[in-house]
Amino acid sequence: MLAELDAKLPPILVHRQTGRVIDGMHRLRAAELRGDATIEVTFYDGGPESAFVHAVEANTKHGLPLNRAERESAAERIIRFFPHWSDRSISKIAGLSAKKISTIRCRVSPDSGRTTAVRIGKDGRARPLDPSAGRLRAAELISARPDASLSEVARSSGIAVGTVRDVRDRLRRGEDPIPKAYSKNAPEEEKPAASVERRIAAAAEALQAKLESAGALQALERDPSLRLSVTGRRILRLIGATHSMSAHLNGLVDFLPSHCTNVVADLARNCAETWELLAGELEKRGDDQLEANG
């Protein structure tokens, strides 16, 4: 019994705003039984919800631990206070299994998995509940900017770098960036709609087209008939500048000041018309050569 000890009792933890004892009720009771006039106090300055979490965590680790019913009741309150916390992080605080926390969460808020897009894990990192959404965003980013780094796409889409690498490899193989297991295990109403599937297919086709375009440009740059002549190098520079521009459109649009947008838009259309005329003339020349050789 603490009351029978002659040693100085450790300080108790008290919530400064409410004056409630967060940790140390048994020490406080022991001090009263010994006739102590005072006891050392450490104040906690967090909110009442955080104070409750701290109290639960303290009681599950030392002193007289909470019984199972009390721990489940505490877990329920924590879920209501912090619905974005993961099952594993709450289980560590309440002294219950993550599976039990999931069961309690479903009872407390059956639609909590749909209303909260992410959960905060024990390591403090936010992770999406639906990984397919992040994969889809990554697929669209990769198709729009094939030269973007994996870490850049990961930051923009909210998924891990390894997941981005898997999405990129799937697109290059012409596969769905979302593994079948994700859609198979999802409820019927959460499976990708036809419009989403079309977006995935379009992203894969766009990436493939840009990869082929990049390969064609690299082949031209190695062609000595272009590389070793002044006019050829000029053509390669023009094509290269236009090709690299397509991968940085968003950045260019955001950079341009508002008073320049209309002028640049008109110039861009004029350039596009010039490239279209050049493409038409080159195709016509190719057709004439085929007819002459045929």
Side-chain angles (χ1 to χ4, degrees), residues 32-80:
E32 292 175 348
L33 293 175
R34 293 195 323 187
D36 294 345
T38 60
I39 187 172
E40 288 191 11
V41 172
T42 299
F43 286 105
Y44 181 81
D45 292 314
E49 294 85 0
S50 299
F52 176 77
V53 170
H54 198 103
V56 172
E57 191 169 19
N59 278 282
T60 56
K61 289 183 177 179
H62 56 76
L64 293 178
L66 303 173
N67 60 41
R68 185 172 182 83
E70 291 172 332
R71 282 180 280 137
E72 290 182 6
S73 177
E76 182 174 326
R77 288 187 62 183
I78 294 173
I79 290 171
R80 294 183 188 277

Side-chain angles (χ1 to χ4, degrees), residues 83-153:
H84 56 284
W85 284 7
S86 70
D87 294 342
R88 289 186 179 276
S89 61
I90 296 177
S91 70
K92 184 179 179 182
I93 295 169
L96 297 168
S97 68
K99 185 177 181 180
K100 184 61 180 179
I101 299 298
S102 178
T103 301
I104 297 173
R105 188 191 296 275
C106 291
R107 185 178 70 243
V108 172
S109 180
D111 60 346
S112 62
R114 298 180 190 177
T115 58
T116 307
V118 297
R119 292 266 171 81
I120 308 300
K122 291 189 293 184
D123 56 0
R125 294 178 57 187
R127 292 177 175 83
L129 288 180
D130 182 10
S132 61
R135 282 177 169 267
L136 180 58
R137 287 194 297 271
E140 294 173 343
L141 287 169
I142 292 171
S143 65
R145 299 180 55 197
D147 62 334
S149 67
L150 295 177
S151 58
E152 185 178 356
V153 176

Side-chain angles (χ1 to χ4, degrees), residues 130-185:
D130 182 10
S132 61
R135 282 177 169 267
L136 180 58
R137 287 194 297 271
E140 294 173 343
L141 287 169
I142 292 171
S143 65
R145 299 180 55 197
D147 62 334
S149 67
L150 295 177
S151 58
E152 185 178 356
V153 176
R155 286 194 300 271
S156 300
S157 55
I159 59 178
V161 172
T163 306
V164 174
R165 182 181 293 107
D166 180 67
V167 170
R168 185 189 62 184
D169 293 343
R170 286 175 174 274
L171 290 175
R172 287 178 173 177
R173 295 193 300 265
E175 298 176 2
D176 191 331
I178 302 175
K180 292 181 179 179
Y182 288 177
S183 57
K184 182 187 296 184
N185 295 331

